[in-house]
Amino acid sequence: MVAEGELVWEPGEEVVASARLTRYLEWLGRPASYEDAWRWSVDHPGEFWTSIWDYFDVIGERGDGPVVSGTMPGVTWFAGSSLNYAENALRPRDGGAALVFVSEDGARQELTHDELREEVARVRTGLRRLGVGRGDRVAAYVPNIPQALIAFLATASLGAIWSAGSPDFGVPSVVDRFTQIEPKVLIAVDGYHYNGKSYDRSAAVNEIAAALPSLRATVWIPYLAAAGEGRAPQRAEPASPHATEPPHGEVIGWEGLRAEQGPLEFERVPFDHPLWILYSSGTTGLPKPIVHGHGGVVLEHLKSLTFHQDVGEGDVFFWYTTTGWMMWNYLIGALLVGATPVLYDGSATHPSPAALWRIADSENVTYFGVGAPYIMASLKAGLHPEGLEKLRGVGSTGSPLPPEGFAWLAAELPGVPLGSFSGGTDVCTGFVGATVLHPVRAGIIPCRSLGAKVESYDAAGKPVTGLVGELVVTRPMPSMPVKFWNDPSGERYFGSYFDVYPGVWRHGDWIKINEDGSCVIYGRSDSTLNRGGVRMGTSEFYRVVERFEEIADSLVIDTGQLGQEGRLLLYVTLAEGAELTEPLQRALCDALRTELSPRHVPNEIHAVPGIPRTLSGKKLEVPVRKILLGTPVEQAANPDAMANPEVLSHFRPV
């Protein structure tokens, strides 16, 4: 058992002196204390975000309007300015690879900056030929491959709007997303590889295209065919694999799209012009189509990657993600700061649990990011990552990382700081995170991000320190959504974040902020365990349960409601070869009684074949709770938005 707050890494003088954040603070002439700099950044947002524009020499016209005006949710940033994300991402760079692609079957591809710019210019020309222009939507059903990044940059360069889904998404889930935004072009792959198997998605593409009457064209990427021939998927071009041509628009191949050489130009657009549309998990109802603007994303990702991950020119940046998770959008932000993003398509554990660590070693990754479950799985598998001579930082996000994960990384990668990072699709960044100026303590997120005025509110809506409360943001950030698509009155947007505390963003997480500005995330506030008046986030529960070698995964549900205490139910997925014996159940209960409280001993423990998760890997606590309280499965959760919908049948009403 590792104590929360135990020191596991501390920056030396050389690390502090060479940090990119240190250079910025010196340029700024502000006090060296991070907490003082954070306070200035949130109390004077106009000055702070102007400094980000100036420090990074953002390409565009800043305009002469106010930097920030209005109140949440109706805030305007940099009135009168114009810029383009792609122009900033593709600014000329000297040497090095612009991007690297690897897949689980061993395919590898590298593009120089000149090659990337040429490919974007070609695809831009092809999209224009298909009638794509400013404000049009381009939808993509693609894995994390070079064509995805190229097509996105080409779309952005035109002032058109990008939206993507991973090809492991079910057809209804994709249709629910894309029908809301009425795309003009669909870009899709014929299939993908995962965990050593091939998945043909030709029929799925036909179904998706048939459901989108707005389409002028479907662009086919022969990814499965190219990989089957043992090549990286850049030039292969077999005939269209559609069994029947979709009823909407023409069908062309990727090579046809990029066939014509054209100029690389950039449509400069207003600061809040839509860049991409991301989606909420969508476990119930239609997914929320979240629109982010060019300017907000450019400034936020420049700030966050540079100061909180300490990533810049010469770095090789990796984050394990699919195109359906906002971390893909964050990963490709490496181009903005001159770093090389490593795109990986495949399983995190094929052909072995060490697959991602081996990529980090072979590609000389300097910053390695994953979801917290991968770190815990590495710990449980007894992995000892080797090589990694260039590695300077590790990032963790997606769910709270227990203190044991911090300690394991510190032991296995001495001298490499861990940056635990928490935010969301809603802002496409982290509200809280780390810097290399901060020591790393087990289970603790070192700081609130620059420009993010994060506070913890008690039940009365008052800020508290040292106590667990609702995570709120009390000052606006440029990367907050411009709007939700098809929400002209803003009612849906307002109801998602501002209906509890008017004028204050409520994120839906439990957080404790310490006196020194560090914090702990305890999981979703709408899935809280409330036992005998003691409220606790589920992350503390999972930390105890999943420490057992016999437990591969777990889910805890409190069925209490409306002031009436219910039953506490624990569901566990067992490790291979393990059984849910009476001694194991007693050991689990004893540990929970000792480490949490007698109130948190489950009334029942059930073994299930899997814990339901979203496509981005988050545990479905709230939908399962609804099912246990009697909501029909089809109303509680959308199976097409789940990674493993088949396991829902194992959860039945109490």
Side-chain angles (χ1 to χ4, degrees):
M1 188 70 176
V2 178
E4 184 177 279
E6 180 180 320
L7 182 66
V8 295
W9 180 85
E10 199 164 14
E13 291 182 7
E14 185 177 339
V15 170
V16 172
S18 63
R20 291 177 170 88
L21 176 56
T22 298
R23 281 179 246 159
Y24 164 72
L25 294 175
E26 290 171 348
W27 172 86
L28 198 62
R30 303 299 304 179
S33 159
Y34 178 86
E35 194 66 13
D36 287 344
W38 175 81
R39 178 63 60 188
W40 169 75
S41 76
V42 297
D43 287 348
H44 303 277
E47 294 178 30
F48 171 68
W49 291 106
T50 297
S51 80
I52 298 300
W53 187 303
D54 292 343
Y55 184 74
F56 290 101
D57 193 21
V58 170
I59 301 172
E61 301 295 328
R62 205 166 72 196
D64 54 6
V67 174
V68 57
S69 58
T71 57
M72 292 190 288
V75 174
T76 298
W77 290 93
F78 289 93
S81 66
S82 63
L83 74 166
N84 187 286
Y85 177 104
E87 186 174 11
N88 282 275
L90 292 171
R91 69 169 71 200
R93 305 280 184 184
D94 294 328
L99 68 87
V100 172
F101 165 72
V102 291
S103 69
E104 71 170 36
D105 64 1
R108 184 183 188 278
Q109 184 180 358
E110 187 173 308
L111 291 181
T112 66
H113 291 281
D114 287 344
E115 288 170 334
L116 176 59
R117 289 169 64 87
E118 179 183 347
E119 287 301 314
V120 172
R122 285 179 173 275
V123 173
R124 181 185 195 276
T125 300
L127 290 174
R128 284 193 67 182
R129 193 169 62 246
L130 294 174
V132 175
R134 181 166 171 165
D136 290 328
R137 277 76 64 206
V138 173
Y141 190 55
V142 291
N144 188 9
I145 57 178
Q147 291 93 328
L149 177 51
I150 291 164
F152 158 66
L153 291 170
T155 299
S157 75
L158 291 164
I161 306 166
W162 174 261
S163 190
S166 177
D168 57 353
F169 283 22
V171 170
S173 177
V174 177
V175 170
D176 282 349
R177 286 161 166 76
F178 291 168
T179 52
Q180 294 186 73
I181 67 169
E182 300 178 299
K184 184 173 282 188
V185 171
L186 172 67
I187 300 174
V189 290
D190 56 351
Y192 66 98
H193 295 280
Y194 186 81
N195 208 26
K197 297 180 181 179
S198 297
Y199 297 87
D200 189 323
R201 302 303 285 160
S202 301
V205 174
N206 274 326
E207 288 186 58
I208 293 166
L212 300 173
S214 58
L215 288 183
R216 294 247 189 114
T218 298
V219 178
W220 195 263
I221 301 174
Y223 181 46
L224 202 59
E229 297 173 21
R231 302 196 305 270
Q234 182 64 24
R235 296 285 185 261
E237 185 67 16
S240 169
H242 288 277
T244 58
E245 188 168 302
H248 309 300
E250 60 180 304
V251 177
I252 67 173
W254 179 258
E255 286 300 295
L257 180 69
R258 63 172 297 281
E260 184 181 339
Q261 178 66 62
L264 181 59
E265 298 175 335
F266 304 98
E267 175 84 7
R268 290 189 181 175
V269 293
F271 190 89
D272 62 355
H273 181 81
L275 171 64
W276 55 48
I277 301 172
L278 306 183
Y279 302 89
S280 65
S281 297
T283 53
T284 59
L286 286 176
K288 296 190 291 285
I290 301 169
V291 182
H292 293 121
H294 279 248
V297 170
V298 167
L299 293 187
E300 176 59 40
H301 287 184
L302 284 170
K303 176 217 73 175
S304 190
L305 284 160
T306 304
F307 302 148
H308 293 284
Q309 269 78 44
D310 197 37
V311 169
E313 289 200 40
D315 280 309
V316 180
F317 186 61
F318 174 89
W319 211 293
Y320 180 63
T321 181
T322 71
T323 56
W325 186 24
M326 53 82 42
M327 289 310 299
W328 182 83
N329 306 73
Y330 194 78
L331 165 66
I332 64 174
L335 292 172
L336 292 169
V337 300
T340 302
V342 176
L343 314 179
Y344 172 66
D345 178 42
S347 167
T349 56
H350 181 82
S352 81
L356 300 187
W357 296 112
R358 289 174 180 164
I359 291 169
D361 179 41
S362 64
E363 297 299 335
N364 292 316
V365 168
T366 58
Y367 196 96
F368 175 83
V370 288
Y374 184 74
I375 294 174
M376 296 308 295
S378 297
L379 182 160
K380 284 197 170 188
L383 298 185
H384 301 288
E386 298 177 344
L388 304 172
E389 294 177 0
K390 301 290 187 180
L391 192 64
R392 296 190 299 105
V394 173
S396 170
T397 193
S399 58
L401 181 67
E404 289 74 16
F406 284 75
W408 177 81
L409 276 167
E412 294 295 333
L413 302 172
V416 178
L418 167 68
S420 189
F421 183 58
S422 184
T425 301
D426 320 80
V427 288
C428 203
T429 189
F431 293 119
V432 293
T435 76
V436 294
L437 307 187
H438 288 87
V440 178
R441 302 182 185 278
I444 306 292
I445 297 175
C447 63
R448 291 169 282 188
S449 298
L450 291 171
K453 192 168 186 184
V454 174
E455 298 188 71
S456 175
Y457 271 15
D458 64 15
K462 302 297 182 184
V464 293
T465 301
L467 299 173
V468 178
E470 286 272 5
L471 190 163
V472 297
V473 184
T474 57
R475 293 279 174 87
M477 297 169 58
S479 69
M480 285 176 172
V482 173
K483 61 181 178 180
F484 287 175
W485 197 262
N486 285 338
D487 181 31
S489 69
E491 180 180 356
R492 197 177 181 198
Y493 178 34
F494 181 89
S496 296
Y497 310 111
F498 299 100
D499 60 342
V500 176
Y501 309 111
V504 171
W505 174 292
R506 173 185 174 270
H507 194 59
D509 280 347
W510 288 122
I511 187 172
K512 179 178 70 176
I513 299 174
N514 299 316
E515 289 285 352
D516 63 357
S518 65
C519 56
V520 181
I521 300 287
Y522 292 96
R524 299 296 296 172
S525 58
D526 49 9
S527 58
T528 307
L529 307 178
N530 190 352
R531 311 298 294 171
V534 177
R535 298 162 73 88
M536 182 178 293
T538 53
S539 64
E540 295 177 87
F541 203 97
Y542 298 139
R543 180 192 175 197
V544 175
V545 172
E546 293 173 17
R547 192 173 68 248
F548 283 73
E549 292 182 358
E550 298 91 338
I551 307 300
D553 204 356
S554 65
L555 186 78
V556 62
I557 303 293
D558 183 350
T559 64
Q561 54 185 329
L562 297 176
Q564 181 179 7
E565 189 155 300
R567 298 178 70 74
L568 191 63
L569 308 179
L570 173 60
Y571 296 89
V572 296
T573 298
L574 297 164
E576 187 174 353
E579 295 182 9
L580 187 60
T581 61
E582 287 192 16
L584 176 57
Q585 292 190 60
R586 284 198 300 272
L588 285 166
C589 291
D590 288 346
L592 290 164
R593 179 182 293 106
T594 302
E595 297 177 35
L596 299 184
S597 80
R599 300 182 181 91
H600 293 89
V601 174
N603 299 106
E604 302 171 26
I605 303 178
H606 300 280
V608 291
I611 299 303
R613 290 181 179 269
T614 66
L615 290 167
S616 60
K618 297 184 185 298
K619 298 184 184 186
L620 288 176
E621 295 166 326
V622 175
V624 169
R625 183 174 182 275
K626 290 179 180 178
I627 291 170
L628 297 179
L629 292 174
T631 300
V633 171
E634 62 273 13
Q635 295 178 23
N638 177 0
D640 294 298
M642 294 179 58
N644 52 350
E646 69 281 356
V647 304
L648 281 179
S649 61
H650 297 276
F651 298 85
R652 303 184 183 281
V654 177

